[in-house]
Amino acid sequence: MKSALIRLRESRDSMSATERSVSDYLLDHQGEVMGLSIHQLAEKTFASPSTVIRMCQRIGFAGYKEFRQAVTCEVAVHRMSRQRERREITQSDSLDDIVDKVTYKNIMSLEDTKNLIDTDTLQACVELVRGARTVLLFGLGESLSAVQDLNLKLLRINKSCVVNDDWRAQLLQARNAGSNDLGIVVSCSGETAEVIECMKALRERGTPIVAITRQVSSPVASLADYRLYSADGESMVNGGAISSRMSQLNLIDILFTAFANSEHEYGLDQRPRARVVKTQTARRLGTA
């Protein structure tokens, strides 16, 4: 079942003004959708039925009827969960409250991301990883941690991959890419200028691109050949992209696991070499 409300929220920024007014009304009055006809909804939002239909089609539904059915199911299952999800950290929270809220927020972010996954797109991404000569990884800030995690996973099964901490080095690796390589870009905002420049260089080289990003209209999304969408739950603390980072890492785990599973026999052969055991010197020094 497609997650109507998640798609609605994630796609809001890419909508027209009239579509956005319909979207905002639906998100604020989720329980009413089940009883509203398309004409009643259009009247309440000062829009036309055709605007409602376009909005539904923009987020992947055939029309309002299919959209309303999806919302009805979703509201019935998640109404209480949605109310709890919106609870933010406050100064008066105890440590128990913080543990509960942060954990629940991450769980909901993972659930939302799962509902955004298109398995056909995921399968296409797996095939691209399988066929790539080298997987080139791109990301900055919090997203850099995510691509570094994928880099380590791919190294464990001896899949050739490259990641650089410095964006200038990332740009050089993009300019030296070929059509037999694959670029994987991670960007929560979809607006990072340095990442966009790298993606433009990849396209000039004919290198296919997979983007892990939000489901919104953005330069990163438009430049990618395939998109794996991560949910972008609101931060619970200022400046802390907690749940979005969890979503990115979850998608990376899914992509890697699907790829490794498709190369099962090869992965078994690589397992002994992937195990890193401390040497006696490292044990004595207390290092890796």
Side-chain angles (χ1 to χ4, degrees), residues 208-225:
I209 305 172
V210 172
I212 296 177
T213 188
R214 294 173 57 201
Q215 193 190 39
V216 297
S217 178
S218 70
V220 166
S222 64
L223 286 167
D225 298 294

Side-chain angles (χ1 to χ4, degrees), residues 3 19-20 34 71 122 129 156 183 234 261:
S3 177
E19 290 172 347
R20 196 177 301 128
M34 295 172 280
V71 172
L122 177 62
V129 175
R156 287 185 179 277
E234 299 86 355
N261 195 51

Side-chain angles (χ1 to χ4, degrees), residues 9-20:
R9 186 179 70 232
E10 295 290 328
S11 302
R12 182 184 180 279
D13 292 343
S14 64
M15 295 179 180
S16 67
T18 51
E19 290 172 347
R20 196 177 301 128

Side-chain angles (χ1 to χ4, degrees), residues 52-67:
V52 176
I53 293 172
R54 283 197 304 271
M55 183 207 69
C56 294
Q57 292 174 340
R58 183 185 294 275
I59 60 175
F61 293 90
Y64 179 66
K65 182 178 180 181
E66 184 186 9
F67 170 80

